[in-house]
Amino acid sequence: MVEVGKGSIKQTAIAVRPYFDASSSNMGLEDYGMSLFDGVTHHEQLACLENNGVVRYLTGLNEFAPTVKLLNKEDREARIKEIRTAVAELETELAANVIDINSVTFWNEVKLLKPDNADFWNRISIACGNQPTFLDPKDPYDRIKLMAIEDGGFSLIAKSFEDARSRPVAPKFYLDKTEETVIARTEYKKMRNKALSELQKLFDKNSTKLFYIAKVVDINSTQYKKSTPNDIIYENMDNHINGLGGETNKERAAKSFIETANLDMETLKIKSIVRDSIFFKYIINKADGYIYHTKSGAMLGRNVSDVVEYLKNPLNEDILKDLNTACEKYWNS
């Protein structure tokens, strides 16, 4: 496969970079900021769609594409002008063909970048690996690739870091055009570091709160008693924050720790009571979908959040006291 326009390394900030999700396992490659094994390069040809024998290339330079037709009148006119300007500039650079973008026969005058020119579009491809593939907007072929990427012309490449994150199946690469991408890439690291900093503060100054937090965020809440050494709780919470506990998604794990640490002590203790009460069947789920207090038969709510709010109500102090006594007996054993 021939790659058009491939030359020396471009001095530009715009690049196709490998995409990896630090919170998802990819054979360990995510630990090294890699999406592929070392030395591997993906080559992809410009994509096209076929409908009733008519082929349409995803170039971003076709004013007749469905995505353009669906725009409202004002946006569509602006988009068509943008496309024609780009096509006219590329025709001048690549084919020495000067065209007036306002010409009523504009597309008849286009020689190289006609939407159906298979000979040209079939030669457009891109190669990407673990090292950034730089694209220079001043290079006409790189400019074509940029527009194609933004139109979905390469299935392996998302049009932005945010686009890559939002896809149900993560792409191998993404187009990096702005400094905002750096912020998005470090989002998890900042969250993890914040969670670890909060963990250290709790360990040093508020071991009681750390005990309740561990009960709330850890799937195995009953392993924690008042006699559990703080070092063990610290280690388990450190593992949780790094995605090595019950929650393997690192970003969600760090976020859950921070959100739980921000709760007040009353809410934390009641949540802890509810967690252990469910395990020991002091409260039970019944077939009607509601949760009941086993001893009194009182209906507490449909879910854990409902139960927590129920127990916060002073009118239900007797049930809270009963559950607290039962849990404290276990925690102090």
Side-chain angles (χ1 to χ4, degrees):
M1 181 183 296
V2 178
E3 184 179 356
V4 179
K6 186 176 181 180
S8 59
I9 296 176
K10 311 291 194 303
Q11 297 300 315
T12 174
I14 301 175
V16 175
R17 300 182 186 276
Y19 175 75
F20 65 97
D21 185 351
S23 65
S24 299
S25 176
N26 182 25
M27 297 178 288
L29 294 174
E30 70 280 0
D31 294 334
Y32 303 96
M34 299 165 62
S35 61
L36 306 170
F37 286 105
D38 195 31
V40 174
T41 302
H42 273 300
H43 294 259
E44 185 178 8
Q45 187 175 331
L46 180 68
C48 64
L49 302 174
E50 184 176 353
N51 186 16
N52 296 324
V54 178
V55 174
R56 178 172 63 87
Y57 292 87
L58 303 180
T59 65
L61 293 168
N62 181 5
E63 70 178 67
F64 309 106
T67 51
V68 177
K69 291 181 178 179
L70 291 173
L71 297 173
N72 61 55
K73 186 175 184 296
E74 184 178 341
D75 291 341
R76 184 170 64 254
E77 289 176 352
R79 180 66 180 134
I80 288 174
K81 182 178 180 180
E82 181 184 1
I83 289 172
R84 288 194 175 193
T85 300
V87 169
E89 290 174 351
L90 289 165
E91 283 281 318
T92 301
E93 293 178 72
L94 298 176
N97 181 28
V98 180
I99 313 173
D100 179 2
I101 65 170
N102 297 312
S103 172
V104 294
T105 58
F106 178 83
W107 289 102
N108 289 334
E109 298 172 40
V110 173
K111 294 179 180 178
L112 201 60
L113 280 83
K114 286 181 182 290
D116 60 351
N117 186 1
D119 288 340
F120 178 76
W121 297 117
N122 283 339
R123 296 172 58 221
I124 301 296
S125 66
I126 194 165
C128 305
N130 284 318
Q131 298 303 314
T133 300
F134 292 98
L135 298 174
D136 186 354
K138 295 180 181 179
D139 182 304
Y141 288 105
D142 281 359
R143 199 151 72 244
I144 288 170
K145 292 173 188 176
L146 280 169
M147 294 175 184
I149 290 170
E150 293 180 336
D151 196 42
F154 296 101
S155 63
L156 292 173
I157 308 172
K159 61 184 178 182
S160 67
F161 187 80
E162 287 301 323
D163 178 39
R165 294 179 72 188
S166 66
R167 292 191 184 186
V169 178
K172 291 293 184 183
F173 308 96
Y174 70 96
L175 180 63
D176 185 5
K177 294 174 65 178
T178 69
E179 292 181 359
E180 291 176 3
T181 299
V182 177
I183 298 173
R185 285 203 308 268
T186 59
E187 189 176 294
Y188 158 68
K189 292 182 180 178
K190 289 184 286 188
M191 188 180 297
R192 180 200 61 193
N193 291 342
K194 182 179 179 181
L196 291 172
S197 175
E198 188 65 30
L199 172 61
Q200 187 63 51
K201 290 179 189 175
L202 290 164
F203 178 79
D204 293 337
K205 299 179 180 180
N206 199 339
S207 58
T208 301
K209 187 173 184 178
L210 181 58
F211 169 78
Y212 291 129
I213 290 171
K215 278 199 161 291
V216 171
V217 303
D218 200 320
I219 292 176
N220 184 17
S221 66
T222 56
Q223 69 177 298
Y224 301 107
K225 297 183 179 182
K226 296 289 181 68
S227 59
T228 304
N230 285 338
D231 284 333
I232 291 179
I233 298 177
Y234 181 95
E235 182 178 34
N236 289 351
M237 290 301 95
D238 181 87
N239 287 337
H240 172 83
I241 291 168
N242 285 287
L244 301 175
E247 175 56 78
T248 57
N249 183 295
K250 296 178 182 179
E251 188 170 349
R252 285 200 298 265
K255 184 178 181 181
S256 72
F257 184 88
I258 292 171
E259 290 176 346
T260 305
N262 287 332
L263 296 175
D264 59 85
M265 283 292 285
E266 179 194 16
T267 302
L268 276 173
K269 184 169 184 179
I270 292 177
K271 278 179 170 282
S272 301
I273 289 171
V274 172
R275 288 290 305 277
D276 282 5
S277 293
I278 290 173
F279 180 84
F280 290 114
K281 300 190 184 304
Y282 303 145
I283 60 178
I284 56 173
N285 283 286
K286 290 192 176 181
D288 62 359
Y290 286 90
I291 300 172
Y292 291 84
H293 180 220
T294 305
K295 186 180 292 185
S296 67
M299 186 177 71
L300 309 181
R302 189 178 288 276
N303 52 48
V304 171
S305 296
D306 288 348
V307 176
V308 171
E309 291 305 314
Y310 181 94
L311 296 176
K312 281 185 176 182
N313 190 329
L315 294 176
N316 304 314
E317 184 180 4
D318 289 345
I319 293 178
L320 175 59
K321 185 177 180 180
D322 177 74
L323 295 176
N324 180 63
T325 300
C327 288
E328 286 282 0
K329 182 178 180 180
Y330 171 74
W331 296 345
N332 292 318
S333 64

